[in-house]
């Protein structure tokens, strides 16, 4: 599959690129700066220069699936939360629909579907992510929404706990999150599903 | 009519309270602090203490109509833009629907329906306002959305230009905006309509 990774230069995005290539997909890294090109080309990914705050539909030509892994991050100024996490995501969905690209995998965040239980400092971020996720559920896309717990830079274990709703707040290495996002492309039963995700004891390919 | 004014202590909200009383409505000022009570009681409005970022549904008991005039303002930190302008507004709509309060008048902002033409520094604000307006159009409420141009503190002239879509960006005194919001309550043809609004040459009651 030819897969566009939006937010490829992010901490999860870079792992997503690697996992796509490991799984014999054609990875296209959507990036903002030309100086990021060599990093991705060395890994065997192609690149497209585009900016979520501008017109970026050229990035979608010929694409089979989209993984949205962009994030302004919960600690950036909140105008970026609106522009990137919420509106950038919604614009990506609209472009995918217009281009007839059905498969859309969204990296969300645990508690995005219930911001009121999130910490107050993150609440605006969770609302924005939740608003984008809600929009996605209303589209005609074959979506999968993945809401991981706290992200760590630990090496992936390949073992997860994933469910439509988890009661505990756990953490999970970014590498494992990336593997889950890529694995959903090979798991048709994940279409039109939303999941909470933390580290656990089930192998990723068995869990999905 | 018993009218709840959300954001009553704001610059437009205070005018809305005055105009409601001038037009023989029962005005309820939703405010956050008890020290704001005397200001409103002196004018003949009742008050209810409530906070858009908390549980505020108690403010809606026995209400016939809601005027949403709250705003974090385009220059506050954008997490407030999400929490107040977008999510506070959407929660207000949900409460009104749950309470069977049909009439809902929204103070929006010119260009909220086309943020991409707005100035870059305001764009996140316009997106948030537009997202709330779009949500309102999807509800069962008898809404009116009013999108004024640049707000001034000049004395009201009582003369406006109002249309579903205006090509020019003008300005308008806050007092006139307040009068328009209140006038919509007496103008059934404004139900399920959205308007751009600037100063003009037509008397408010004739324009609506």
């Amino acid at each position: 599959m030819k897969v566009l990774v939006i937010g490829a230069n992010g901490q999860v995005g870079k792992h997503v690129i690697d996992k796509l290539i490991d799984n014999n997909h054609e990875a296209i890294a959507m990036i903002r700066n030309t100086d990021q090109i060599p990093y991705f080309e060395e890994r065997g990914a192609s690149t497209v220069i585009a900016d979520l705050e501008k017109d970026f539909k050229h990035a979608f030509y010929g694409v089979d699936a989209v993984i949205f892994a962009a994030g302004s991050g919960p600690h950036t100024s909140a105008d970026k939360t609106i522009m990137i996490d919420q509106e950038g995501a919604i614009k990506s969905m609209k472009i995918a629909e217009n281009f007839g690209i059905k498969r859309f995998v969204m990296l969300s965040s645990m508690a995005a579907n219930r911001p009121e239980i999130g910490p107050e400092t993150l609440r605006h971020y969770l609302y924005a992510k939740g608003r984008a996720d809600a929009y996605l559920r209303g589209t005609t896309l074959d979506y999968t929404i993945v809401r991981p717990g706290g992200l760590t830079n630990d090496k992936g274990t390949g073992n997860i706990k994933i469910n439509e709703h988890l009661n505990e707040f756990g953490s999970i290495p970014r590498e494992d999150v990336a593997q889950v996002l890529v694995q959903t492309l090979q798991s048709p039963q994940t279409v039109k599903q939303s999941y909470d995700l933390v580290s656990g004891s089930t192998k990723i390919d068995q869990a999905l």
Side-chain angles (χ1 to χ4, degrees), chain A:
Chain A
M1 263 177 142
K2 195 167 173 177
V3 184
L4 177 67
V5 181
I6 300 178
N9 201 49
Q11 291 189 81
V12 176
K14 282 176 172 166
H15 284 296
V16 171
I17 293 290
D18 289 342
K19 299 297 179 186
L20 283 171
I21 290 165
D22 289 350
N23 286 269
N24 301 310
H25 291 291
E26 193 178 336
I28 309 167
M30 181 170 140
I31 53 178
R32 270 185 297 176
N33 301 316
T34 51
D35 56 12
Q36 298 163 349
I37 293 177
Y39 173 90
F40 292 101
E41 292 203 334
E42 277 165 24
R43 275 157 182 76
S46 52
T47 55
V48 59
I49 304 293
D51 186 333
L52 279 176
E53 295 189 65
K54 302 195 173 126
D55 182 355
F56 57 98
K57 62 176 181 292
H58 60 279
F60 289 67
Y61 285 104
V63 161
D64 299 311
V66 174
I67 297 180
F68 189 95
S72 66
H75 301 294
T76 55
S77 73
D79 61 323
K80 292 295 175 194
T81 307
I82 296 176
M83 296 302 293
I84 302 299
D85 299 276
Q86 181 174 295
E87 300 302 324
I90 290 172
K91 278 183 202 167
S92 300
M93 298 164 202
K94 287 180 178 172
I95 298 169
E97 279 192 308
N98 285 341
F99 278 50
I101 303 163
K102 294 295 284 180
R103 197 71 178 99
F104 197 104
V105 181
M106 169 60 74
L107 172 59
S108 182
S109 170
M110 194 170 276
N113 53 336
R114 37 185 176 152
E116 62 287 348
I117 65 162
E120 201 170 324
T121 51
L122 293 189
R123 214 162 284 164
H124 69 281
Y125 169 75
L126 295 171
Y127 271 114
K129 292 293 289 176
R131 198 59 60 196
D133 292 352
Y135 191 95
L136 184 52
R137 283 189 203 94
T139 66
T140 58
L141 296 168
D142 288 342
Y143 66 82
T144 305
I145 296 170
V146 177
R147 294 182 299 252
L151 301 174
T152 74
N153 286 327
D154 296 344
K155 197 174 153 40
T157 67
N159 293 309
I160 59 167
K161 182 170 184 177
I162 188 165
N163 202 294
E164 193 186 339
H165 182 81
L166 293 175
N167 277 318
E168 77 261 35
F169 283 87
S171 65
I172 182 167
R174 288 183 168 86
E175 186 183 352
D176 285 335
V177 173
Q179 180 63 43
V180 168
L181 296 174
V182 171
Q183 183 67 41
T184 64
L185 297 175
Q186 286 131 249
S187 303
Q189 70 273 23
T190 64
V191 167
K192 301 205 191 282
Q193 302 297 318
S194 306
Y195 302 105
D196 288 345
L197 172 68
V198 294
S199 285
S201 54
T202 310
K203 285 200 180 305
I204 289 171
D205 56 354
Q206 287 166 10
L208 289 173

